[in-house]
């Protein structure tokens, strides 16, 4: 099938590459010539496991190409994906200026019937706007469908190649059948293609992401209560997750959610609720708790070292908002590091993949260490902010020998606090207050 993907950001690049992997002829369009030149050489602007290899293979097989020529690309394609950014406006709404610009270009370019797919995360009613723009330009037949993405950064390639579901919002049988044919190779294991109306599909993405954000904020609120009453948030989590109605995912307490999706989508859905005259108490609470969670972690550090940190050095492990990505948008590390810097601290940070992004967000205000261990040299405390696998079982004796003070603030509850305390560390985490006599453990009996 001839496919055009407009936008080579995170979503567009994964979508285009994975569609090419299934044998489709895919043209990825972008107006950034520098990025296009890099992509043609196999250099990709994001870190996503498995993506670079797939791009190189499909480019070499001539199934995947990159261009700035939107007119010719749209004219050649049966299916055209809109995968451009929808940045957050000052009022929390999604800014659709790029989507609208692309819609205009599509209207000026189509020569035959085309299925136009809103792949960007967009508010309810966007498909109607896109339809109106294109109809004002051309009389050629087309349909606009909504096909929200559910890609987890760090696992996006697998998520697209083996989706747990595909949502297609369509008011046209013809467009529906084309989209079903396009996705058929990905659904051989029997996972569902869910067909619904366009507005419901647009709403589904916001509803799903906001629900997961609520789960994370709920887990953090419970963890904060656990600390106050002397309970162990991890034991509570295990007890909750055993209930099949609740499940184990997105209930880990920590530093809150970040990235390009959850914060923006919660705010966008809140704005939709406001515009519709609906209550949004749960969404508002989820957002507020998420912001407070980072301040609570900062306060733990200040309670230990005081407000003036001018003589303190902090080792930071992890800058990206989650492991297996270099994305730092809305990353807890940005808020926490800036708070330390404002109080005079020195920060020595290490992240396996996010240094380029960190330069954009933090500049030269911090020291970028060559390894996790070098970040610990003469540090007064180690802050674990992103749970990369390589941080899970470090040499703690080596860490202790490098540090000025053996203090750990674990923002991801990754370590065994009792064992670290036995090794002479002071250990702080989320949802539990440790002491040297703490030997609680949750057991599952059969």
């Amino acid at each position: 099938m001839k496919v055009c993907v407009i936008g080579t950001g995170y979503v567009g690049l994964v979508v285009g590459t994975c569609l090419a992997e299934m044998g489709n002829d895919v043209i990825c369009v972008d107006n950034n010539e520098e990025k296009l030149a890099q992509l043609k050489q196999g250099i990709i602007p994001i870190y996503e496991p498995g993506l670079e290899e797939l791009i190189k293979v499909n480019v070499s097989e001539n199934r995947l190409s990159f261009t700035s020529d939107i007119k010719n690309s749209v004219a050649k394609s049966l299916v055209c994906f809109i995968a451009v950014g929808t940045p957050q406006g000052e009022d929390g709404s999604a800014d659709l200026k790029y989507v609208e610009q692309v819609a205009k270009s599509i209207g000026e370019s189509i020569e035959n019937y085309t299925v136009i797919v809103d792949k960007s995360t967009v508010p309810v009613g966007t498909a109607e706007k896109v339809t109106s723009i294109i109809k004002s330009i051309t009389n050629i037949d087309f349909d606009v469908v909504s096909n929200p993405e559910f890609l987890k950064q760090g696992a996006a390639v697998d998520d697209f190649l083996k989706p747990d579901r595909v949502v297609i919002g369509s008011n046209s049988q013809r467009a529906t059948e084309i989209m079903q044919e396009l996705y058929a190779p990905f659904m051989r294991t029997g996972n569902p293609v869910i067909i619904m109306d366009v507005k419901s599909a647009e709403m589904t993405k916001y509803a799903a992401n906001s629900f997961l954000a609520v789960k994370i904020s709920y887990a953090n609120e419970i963890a904060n209560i656990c600390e106050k009453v002397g309970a162990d948030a991890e034991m509570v989590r295990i007890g909750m997750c055993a209930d099949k109605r609740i499940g184990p995912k997105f209930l880990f307490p920590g530093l809150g959610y970040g990235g390009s999706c959850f914060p923006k989508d919660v705010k966008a859905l809140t704005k939709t609720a406001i515009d519709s005259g609906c209550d949004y108490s749960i969404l508002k609470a989820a957002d507020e708790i998420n912001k407070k969670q980072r301040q609570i972690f900062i306060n733990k550090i200040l309670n230990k070292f005081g407000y003036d940190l001018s003589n303190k050095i902090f080792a930071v492990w992890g800058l990206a908002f989650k492991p297996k990505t270099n994305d730092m948008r809305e990353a807890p590390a940005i808020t926490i590091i800036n708070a330390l810097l404002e109080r005079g601290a020195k920060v020595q940070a290490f992240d396996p993949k996010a240094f380029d992004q960190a330069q954009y967000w933090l500049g030269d205000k911090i020291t970028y260490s060559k390894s996790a261990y070098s970040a610990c040299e003469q540090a007064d405390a180690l802050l674990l902010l992103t749970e990369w696998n390589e941080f899970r079982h470090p040499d703690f004796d080596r860490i202790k020998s490098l540090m000025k003070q053996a203090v750990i603030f674990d923002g991801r509850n990754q370590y065994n606090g009792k064992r670290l305390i036995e090794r002479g560390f002071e250990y702080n985490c989320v949802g539990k207050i440790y002491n040297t006599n703490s030997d609680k453990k949750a057991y599952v009996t059969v």
Side-chain angles (χ1 to χ4, degrees):
M1 195 175 291
K2 305 291 186 182
V3 178
C4 168
V5 179
I6 302 172
T8 60
Y10 180 83
V11 173
L13 205 51
V14 172
V15 170
T17 303
C18 291
L19 288 173
E21 177 69 7
M22 289 299 148
N24 298 288
D25 292 328
V26 180
I27 307 171
C28 288
V29 183
D30 204 286
N31 59 6
N32 186 326
E33 294 288 356
E34 182 179 352
K35 182 195 288 189
L36 291 172
Q38 291 180 329
L39 288 168
K40 290 174 183 178
Q41 298 174 40
I43 302 170
I44 65 172
I46 60 172
Y47 174 72
E48 183 61 42
L51 183 59
E52 183 175 354
E53 294 83 353
L54 286 183
I55 289 177
K56 289 179 179 178
V57 167
N58 284 282
V59 168
S60 67
E61 296 292 335
N62 296 317
R63 291 190 299 264
L64 179 64
S65 60
F66 301 96
T67 182
S68 59
D69 185 353
I70 189 170
K71 184 174 181 62
N72 191 45
S73 301
V74 171
K76 288 181 177 179
S77 302
L78 173 61
V79 180
C80 183
F81 285 85
I82 300 176
V84 294
T86 53
Q88 183 179 304
E90 292 183 5
D91 61 355
S93 62
D95 188 341
L96 297 177
K97 62 182 177 184
Y98 300 121
V99 173
E100 292 170 354
Q101 288 171 9
V102 169
K104 183 176 182 293
S105 296
I106 291 173
E108 294 168 345
S109 305
I110 58 172
E111 296 179 359
N112 301 288
Y113 172 79
T114 306
V115 178
I116 297 148
V117 185
D118 278 338
K119 197 66 176 174
S120 303
T121 300
V122 292
V124 176
T126 300
E128 290 181 345
K129 290 183 179 179
V130 171
T131 299
S132 177
I133 290 170
I134 297 173
K135 277 189 174 179
S136 71
I137 299 170
T138 182
N139 292 321
I140 295 173
D141 195 18
F142 68 92
D143 285 304
V144 178
V145 305
S146 174
N147 175 219
E149 54 87 11
F150 300 99
L151 306 177
K152 298 185 296 293
Q153 287 181 254
V157 171
D158 280 346
D159 283 347
F160 197 95
L161 294 177
K162 295 175 285 188
D164 54 9
R165 88 284 203 195
V166 169
V167 172
I168 297 171
S170 173
N171 299 326
S172 159
Q173 185 61 33
R174 184 180 183 184
T176 299
E177 290 174 359
I178 290 171
M179 293 297 292
Q180 286 175 312
E181 180 183 350
L182 183 63
Y183 276 107
F186 303 98
M187 314 306 291
R188 292 171 62 85
T189 57
N191 287 339
V193 176
I194 305 169
I195 309 299
M196 59 182 72
D197 64 276
V198 172
K199 287 187 175 181
S200 294
E202 291 172 331
M203 186 67 179
T204 296
K205 174 61 186 291
Y206 282 117
N209 274 2
S210 296
F211 179 74
L212 297 176
V214 168
K215 285 187 73 174
I216 293 169
S217 287
Y218 181 79
N220 281 325
E221 189 159 69
I222 292 297
N224 294 334
I225 297 172
C226 285
E227 285 192 21
K228 295 295 185 183
V229 302
D232 185 333
E234 175 61 9
M235 293 187 196
V236 174
R237 186 192 70 81
I238 292 170
M240 289 175 61
C241 293
D243 188 327
K244 293 180 180 179
R245 297 170 300 176
I246 297 173
K249 296 182 178 180
F250 291 89
L251 277 177
F252 290 91
L255 300 175
Y257 54 81
S260 62
C261 292
F262 287 7
K264 182 165 69 74
D265 291 355
V266 168
K267 289 180 173 64
L269 186 54
T270 298
K271 182 61 167 57
T272 297
I274 293 171
D275 292 345
S276 303
C278 298
D279 185 34
Y280 55 97
S281 301
I282 292 176
L283 294 171
K284 182 179 179 181
D287 185 48
E288 290 177 349
I289 291 168
N290 195 60
K291 292 175 182 175
K292 288 179 182 177
Q293 197 65 17
R294 299 170 193 190
Q295 188 59 53
I296 289 171
F297 188 78
I298 294 166
N299 287 344
K300 290 182 179 182
I301 299 170
L302 299 181
N303 287 339
K304 167 66 180 175
F305 294 106
Y307 190 85
D308 183 2
L309 303 175
S310 55
N311 295 317
K312 304 302 178 191
I313 299 173
F314 293 93
V316 169
W317 283 9
L319 296 169
F321 87 94
K322 63 180 289 189
K324 297 184 180 180
T325 181
N326 63 344
D327 195 346
M328 283 189 63
R329 287 174 290 183
E330 298 283 347
I334 296 173
T335 305
I336 293 165
I337 288 173
N338 280 330
L340 299 178
L341 294 174
E342 288 170 4
R343 291 163 177 81
K346 179 182 178 183
V347 173
Q348 301 171 170
F350 176 76
D351 188 285
K353 296 294 179 182
F355 276 169
D356 287 345
Q357 287 293 309
Q359 289 282 353
Y360 173 80
W361 291 102
L362 297 167
D364 59 0
K365 295 187 292 183
I366 67 173
T367 299
Y368 299 98
S369 301
K370 294 181 179 180
S371 71
Y373 292 110
S374 63
C376 295
E377 293 177 1
Q378 294 301 302
D380 293 280
L382 167 61
L383 315 183
L384 178 70
L385 304 186
T386 312
E387 64 275 33
W388 286 90
N389 285 341
E390 61 193 80
F391 299 156
R392 291 191 180 277
H393 291 286
D395 184 340
F396 286 109
D397 291 334
R398 182 180 177 185
I399 292 169
K400 187 178 178 183
S401 71
L402 291 168
M403 296 178 68
K404 192 185 302 179
Q405 300 185 57
V407 180
I408 294 177
F409 291 89
D410 183 354
R412 300 299 179 178
N413 289 3
Q414 186 164 267
Y415 301 129
N416 185 315
K418 182 175 183 292
R419 291 179 183 174
L420 285 177
I421 290 169
E422 290 172 349
R423 288 187 173 195
F425 283 88
E426 179 182 323
Y427 180 70
N428 306 273
C429 65
V430 180
K432 180 177 180 178
I433 302 296
Y434 271 90
N435 59 69
T436 53
N437 298 317
S438 176
D439 58 358
K440 296 177 183 178
K441 190 173 182 179
Y443 294 92
V444 178
T445 59
V446 180

